[in-house]
């Protein structure tokens, strides 16, 4: 219990330092105050030996480490690139992220070097000019700085901060690829093969299912982002089910459970090792989004506990996963809404389900009772942040989630089966896709009906 308290204080202090420094450039007086206060508290503990002084000192030291970690991250466009803003430029660099393929174009992230300075640039290119991950490319276009923009529900989306979480500080909204050299090295080839496998699978799903079912299947199984359409996506938002559209921590946990179930005949060590590799490859192929990485880390901790015979504490696993992710990329905390929602929803499940589920004893079905409890806990936990960020309150969110979420795991399994059959026996793809079509059609239908209800959602005025 004491170790858990220390871990929570360290994580809280570190996260506070990361959050504050991400939003504000702190004067030296703040640094000095934290150092002096931590030193005084540590000295007080040394002489008095009261644990509260030690915990307070450790928290302040962790906060200082968080401040320093963010200070080490470049948060502005290097001067060599800043001087080129608003001009037509030609940049040469390496593709450092999986291409984000949209309905009409594709977005590639390249790491370019100019006058010995390096930065990442997001280039919007034609779908006919998509280079592979790790390729050396030359792109030409007008270099621009990302800017915030107003959303439909009276909020300002900080697009600049959203991109900053990925280390991107410049855009080429209309870029052309003028030269491509194939990837070199082991990792670019391995990761590129994973991305190619994912795209092949998505094409196979497209042969087995019509749209928009194929687009939804791609989203829940492989992290595909294209083809759903603005109208349907808006229905998912209004019904509070947008988290179903894209791969999230929920989907990763489903995959982990399925893999473990399939490996039940193996020893705990072998099952954990194989499952860890499968989950890691799955998260990487899906794009390694913040929510899926967080879920993948927690699943890895659970597998490690299983292999070593230790107790798995989900709260401790969440804290350690968050700490590791913030050490790797501290800007996630203040600039990545997906990361924040994933962490808060998970914390809501951990703390809320044990409180809510006993109150639902009148619900006789254990599956339905657990679904209602987990949905309520997660929805209540993320509601303040959702209202702050997008301004839309979905009245039907809770019942819509209860109606839809139980069908997501079988829809994932049926979609994966349809895609696998389409890869091996294309002629049987439409038949193999029938179960997935029925399940995905139900999900889309439930979303349509929920979003179309009178007063299904309404905008909430902006608040501090």
């Amino acid at each position: 219990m004491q170790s858990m308290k220390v871990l929570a204080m360290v994580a809280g202090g570190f996260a506070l330092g990361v959050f504050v420094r991400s939003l504000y450039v702190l004067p030296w007086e703040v640094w000095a105050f934290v150092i002096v206060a931590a030193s005084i508290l540590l000295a007080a503990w040394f002489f008095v030996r009261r644990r509260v002084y030690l915990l307070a000192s450790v928290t302040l030291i962790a906060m200082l480490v968080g401040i320093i970690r963010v200070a080490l991250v470049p948060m502005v466009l290097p001067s060599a690139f800043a001087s080129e803003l608003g001009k037509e430029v030609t940049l040469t660099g390496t593709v450092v992220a999986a291409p984000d393929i949209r309905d009409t174009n594709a977005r590639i992230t390249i790491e370019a070097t100019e006058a010995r300075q390096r930065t990442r640039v997001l280039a919007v290119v034609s779908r006919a000019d998509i280079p592979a991950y790790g390729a050396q490319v030359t792109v030409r276009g007008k270099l621009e700085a990302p800017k915030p923009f107003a959303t439909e529900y009276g909020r300002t989306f900080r697009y600049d901060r959203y991109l900053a979480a990925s280390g991107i500080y410049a855009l080429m909204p209309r870029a052309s690829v003028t030269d491509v050299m194939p990837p070199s090295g082991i990792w670019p080839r391995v990761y590129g093969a994973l991305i190619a496998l994912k795209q092949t699978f998505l094409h196979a799903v497209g042969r087995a299912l019509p749209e928009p079912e194929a687009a939804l299947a791609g989203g829940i199984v492989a992290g595909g982002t294209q083809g759903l359409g603005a109208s349907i996506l808006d229905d998912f938002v209004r019904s509070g089910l947008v988290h179903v559209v894209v791969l999230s921590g929920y989907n990763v946990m489903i995959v982990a459970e399925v893999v473990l179930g399939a490996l039940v005949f193996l020893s705990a060590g072998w099952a954990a090792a194989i499952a860890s590799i499968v989950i890691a490859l799955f998260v990487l192929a899906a794009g390694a989004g913040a929510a899926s990485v967080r879920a993948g880390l927690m699943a890895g901790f659970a597998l490690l506990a299983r292999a070593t015979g230790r107790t798995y504490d989900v709260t401790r696993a969440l804290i350690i996963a968050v700490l590791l992710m913030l050490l790797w990329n501290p800007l996630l905390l203040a600039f990545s809404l997906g990361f924040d929602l994933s962490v808060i929803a998970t914390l809501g499940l951990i703390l809320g389900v044990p409180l809510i589920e006993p109150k639902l004893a009148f619900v006789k079905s254990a599956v339905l009772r657990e679904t209602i409890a987990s949905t309520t806990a997660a929805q209540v936990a993320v509601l303040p942040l959702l209202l702050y960020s997008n301004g839309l309150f979905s009245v039907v969110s809770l019942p819509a989630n209860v109606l839809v979420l139980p069908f997501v795991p079988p829809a994932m399994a049926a979609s994966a089966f349809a895609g696998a059959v389409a890869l091996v026996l294309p002629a049987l793809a439409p038949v193999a896709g029938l179960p997935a079509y029925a399940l995905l059609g139900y999900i889309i239908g439930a979303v349509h009906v929920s979003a179309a209800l009178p007063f299904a959602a309404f905008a909430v005025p902006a608040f501090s």
Side-chain angles (χ1 to χ4, degrees):
M1 188 66 183
Q2 291 298 329
S3 63
M4 184 65 185
K5 184 181 294 185
V6 173
L7 179 62
M9 297 293 282
V10 169
F14 180 77
L16 180 61
V18 165
F19 185 78
V20 172
R21 180 58 183 84
S22 297
L23 300 178
Y24 306 103
V25 177
L26 302 175
W28 68 268
E29 290 89 350
V30 174
W31 297 64
F33 173 79
V34 174
I35 294 172
V36 170
S39 301
I40 291 174
L41 288 167
L42 192 61
W45 170 79
F46 183 79
F47 288 107
V48 182
R49 294 291 174 175
R50 292 188 61 180
R51 186 177 296 272
V52 64
Y53 294 146
L54 179 61
L55 288 176
S57 177
V58 167
T59 303
L60 287 176
I61 293 172
M63 185 172 72
L64 183 64
V65 172
I67 293 172
I68 294 172
R69 178 65 187 92
V70 178
L72 296 175
V73 178
M75 294 182 64
V76 295
L77 188 65
S79 57
F81 294 90
S83 62
E84 301 292 334
L85 289 175
K87 301 177 183 177
E88 287 280 337
V89 297
T90 299
L91 298 177
T92 299
T94 306
V95 179
V96 292
D100 180 8
I101 303 174
R102 304 294 179 93
D103 292 338
T104 58
N105 55 43
R107 303 175 181 215
I108 60 171
T109 302
I110 64 169
E111 190 166 273
T113 302
E114 189 83 13
R116 296 186 179 181
Q117 294 181 336
R118 182 178 298 176
T119 194
R120 290 187 172 188
V121 177
L122 184 67
V124 182
V125 301
S126 166
R127 289 187 57 164
D129 296 328
I130 304 175
Y133 173 86
Q136 299 290 318
V137 300
T138 300
V139 295
R140 181 167 180 79
K142 186 177 179 180
L143 197 66
E144 298 181 4
K147 297 177 182 178
F149 58 86
T151 66
E152 182 181 355
Y153 302 108
R155 298 296 190 270
T156 298
F157 179 59
R158 292 300 304 267
Y159 190 48
D160 52 341
R161 291 182 177 178
Y162 168 78
L163 292 180
S166 301
I168 299 170
Y169 296 98
L171 301 170
M172 273 190 181
R174 290 168 295 279
S176 58
V177 179
T178 60
D179 189 33
V180 179
M181 293 184 63
S184 60
I186 297 177
W187 172 245
R189 288 193 175 98
V190 171
Y191 190 36
L194 278 175
I195 296 170
L197 180 62
K198 168 187 168 180
Q199 293 302 325
T200 302
F201 174 78
L202 291 176
H203 287 309
V205 170
R207 289 196 296 269
L209 294 167
E211 296 293 356
E213 285 80 9
L216 180 56
I220 64 175
V221 175
T225 56
Q226 67 270 26
L228 199 59
S231 175
I232 298 177
L233 186 59
D234 185 61
D235 284 346
F236 271 93
V237 172
R238 288 178 57 81
S239 60
L241 285 162
V242 71
H243 59 91
V244 173
V245 177
V246 295
L247 197 71
S248 64
Y250 176 68
N251 308 72
V252 174
M253 295 309 295
I254 291 173
V255 171
E257 292 176 5
V258 170
V259 172
L260 284 176
L263 299 175
V264 68
F265 60 92
L266 295 177
S267 65
W270 277 106
I274 295 173
S276 298
I277 294 172
V278 171
I279 292 168
L281 293 176
F282 178 73
V283 170
L284 286 171
S292 57
V293 170
R294 191 271 313 155
L297 284 172
M298 293 184 67
F301 297 150
L303 292 170
L304 180 62
R306 172 175 170 165
T308 57
R310 297 188 177 187
T311 301
Y312 175 68
D313 186 310
V314 65
T315 307
R316 182 179 282 111
L318 175 63
I319 293 174
I320 294 174
V322 170
L323 274 176
L324 290 175
M325 293 182 70
L326 292 183
L327 281 168
W328 177 259
N329 183 2
L331 299 186
L332 288 173
L333 184 61
F335 297 164
S336 175
L337 180 63
F339 172 79
D340 296 335
L341 290 174
S342 173
V343 172
I344 293 172
T346 304
L347 192 60
L349 291 171
I350 294 170
L351 302 179
V353 171
L355 298 176
I356 297 172
E357 195 165 6
K359 310 295 183 183
L360 301 174
F362 61 90
V363 180
K364 301 306 179 184
S365 170
V367 174
L368 182 59
R369 185 167 58 249
E370 183 181 351
T371 300
I372 295 174
S374 58
T375 301
T376 303
Q379 293 290 310
V380 170
V382 301
L383 183 61
L385 182 56
L386 279 177
L387 292 181
Y388 173 77
S389 60
N390 69 15
L392 187 69
F393 179 73
S394 176
V395 178
V396 299
S397 176
L398 180 58
N401 274 271
V402 171
L403 290 172
V404 166
L405 289 185
F407 293 89
V408 173
M412 288 180 64
S415 300
F417 172 76
V421 172
L423 283 173
V424 180
L425 299 169
L428 296 179
V431 177
L434 288 176
Y437 177 75
L439 291 165
L440 296 166
Y442 166 78
I443 293 174
I444 293 173
V447 168
H448 278 319
V449 172
S450 300
L453 291 174
F455 306 108
F458 60 88
V460 175
F463 55 90
S464 169

